[in-house]
Amino acid sequence: MIKNKVTADEAFKHANAHMISFIAADADFEEWKEASIDSKPLELYDPTGQKLYHQFSVYKDNNIIGRIYIGADKQLGASVQLISFYPKPFDATEAMKKSIEIAKNECPDGSIESTKMVVYDYPAIGAMTVVKDKTTGYEHRIFVDAYTLDIVEDEPATETESGIWSIYEHRLKNGTEENLKDWQKSDQLTKYIEQEATDKGIDINVPITKDKIQKLIDDSVIKLVTSKTLNVPLYGQEASDYCAAASGKMIAKYYNVDHTQTHIYEMMDEGGVIDDQIYYYVTSIFEGGLGKTGTFDDGTPIFSQLKSKINNYRPVVSLIPGHVRVCRGYSDTGVGFILFED
């Protein structure tokens, strides 16, 4: 529905206001002081064709230090859908060019219907070209990873294998009523911060200096934000299918236990399903696990539960189709934001 679409201009206001709230409340955003947001976002789509995110780049000293993803549809929930720190660079133009090139080679008699940048395997980004067979009318999708420019097979993701899946449909599967309420809360926060800043002569659409941030904090403009972050170390996965093992190593190290990713991978029986991953966490340290016998699987956690875990110094493992990551913190602006190690 058009009424639920979020324009780029509206998204830019949300990105700026939320950046200020995060800088004020969360030490992880210390480096973002005096940074600025490029007002021209990269438009990212879902494999279903729905516009998904406005991706804004955050610059400091002419270097990209982060990205803010604002939902392009209010039905997705809170306006800020994802934030990344020091993101790996990619060239969208080159990715789309490569996707078109492959499409022409594989379907020389087809007509190219569209080429878009997509989130094909959240949070992985790539280019998607849709080619229509002129004889049968059948449409083929060609995916190219934005970072490697490698072709990605158009196969659905499973619990154990990465692949193509719709984060848009995933967000909407439990209905849109609560999501729309969360977007309204985001909008209220945005308008509140924008108005308070304007009243104090601060333009939030330009880089915010440390002095101005401090003025907003001192005047209680954004003290409504609460946050907590656990000191969970970040480890990159050592093999393409080691995301569960890498997450396990992060949590193990947090509890001062040293296990290699290979050891964890084997303990998890290759980390294929949830029960195998839980086995590592509940098995005693003497037997090679972490000894966290209270570990359990909750397929539908709510923010208050995750917040409680973090407040009690317990990091949480999060699973999405074909991928595992660690939740190590949160920010609460009235809408909950989870901080992941990924």
Side-chain angles (χ1 to χ4, degrees), residues 170-277:
H170 182 76
R171 290 274 194 260
L172 269 58
K173 69 179 182 180
N174 293 323
T176 61
E177 184 176 348
E178 291 302 315
N179 287 355
L180 288 170
K181 289 179 181 178
D182 283 343
W183 192 91
Q184 287 295 334
K185 291 177 183 177
S186 295
D187 195 45
Q188 289 168 6
L189 176 68
T190 296
K191 290 176 179 177
Y192 173 74
I193 290 178
E194 190 174 36
Q195 185 60 56
E196 291 292 329
T198 298
D199 290 346
K200 291 170 175 57
I202 299 173
D203 183 358
I204 68 171
N205 295 316
V206 299
I208 308 296
T209 64
K210 294 180 181 179
D211 290 343
K212 290 179 179 178
I213 284 289
Q214 195 60 50
K215 179 175 176 58
L216 290 172
I217 296 172
D218 291 343
D219 291 346
S220 300
V221 172
I222 41 183
K223 286 185 178 178
L224 68 164
V225 181
T226 59
S227 67
K228 187 176 184 67
T229 303
L230 303 181
N231 190 28
V232 178
L234 175 64
Y235 294 106
Q237 60 189 71
E238 296 172 359
S240 61
D241 56 349
Y242 269 31
C243 57
S247 296
K249 183 175 177 64
M250 294 179 208
I251 291 180
K253 190 64 176 178
Y254 172 77
Y255 289 114
N256 295 314
V257 176
D258 285 310
H259 286 154
T260 67
Q261 290 189 29
T262 298
H263 167 79
I264 297 170
Y265 181 77
E266 292 172 350
M267 282 287 295
M268 291 181 173
D269 193 21
E270 301 183 1
V273 296
I274 294 173
D275 287 346
D276 290 334
Q277 293 178 36

Side-chain angles (χ1 to χ4, degrees), residues 2 6 8 15 27 44 51 53 74 76 78 89 107 112 131 152 175 183 206 219 233 247 271 277 303 317 334 337 339:
I2 294 177
V6 179
L44 295 175
K51 185 177 284 190
Y53 302 138
K74 298 174 185 177
L76 293 171
C107 308
I112 293 179
V131 186
V152 179
W183 192 91
V206 299
D219 291 346
S247 296
Q277 293 178 36
F303 177 68
V317 172
F337 296 96
L339 179 62

Side-chain angles (χ1 to χ4, degrees), residues 251 306 309-310 314-318 325-328 340:
I251 291 180
L306 294 171
K309 292 294 183 184
I310 299 301
R314 298 170 185 160
V316 177
V317 172
S318 168
R325 61 234 176 121
V326 175
C327 167
R328 69 179 183 95
F340 290 104

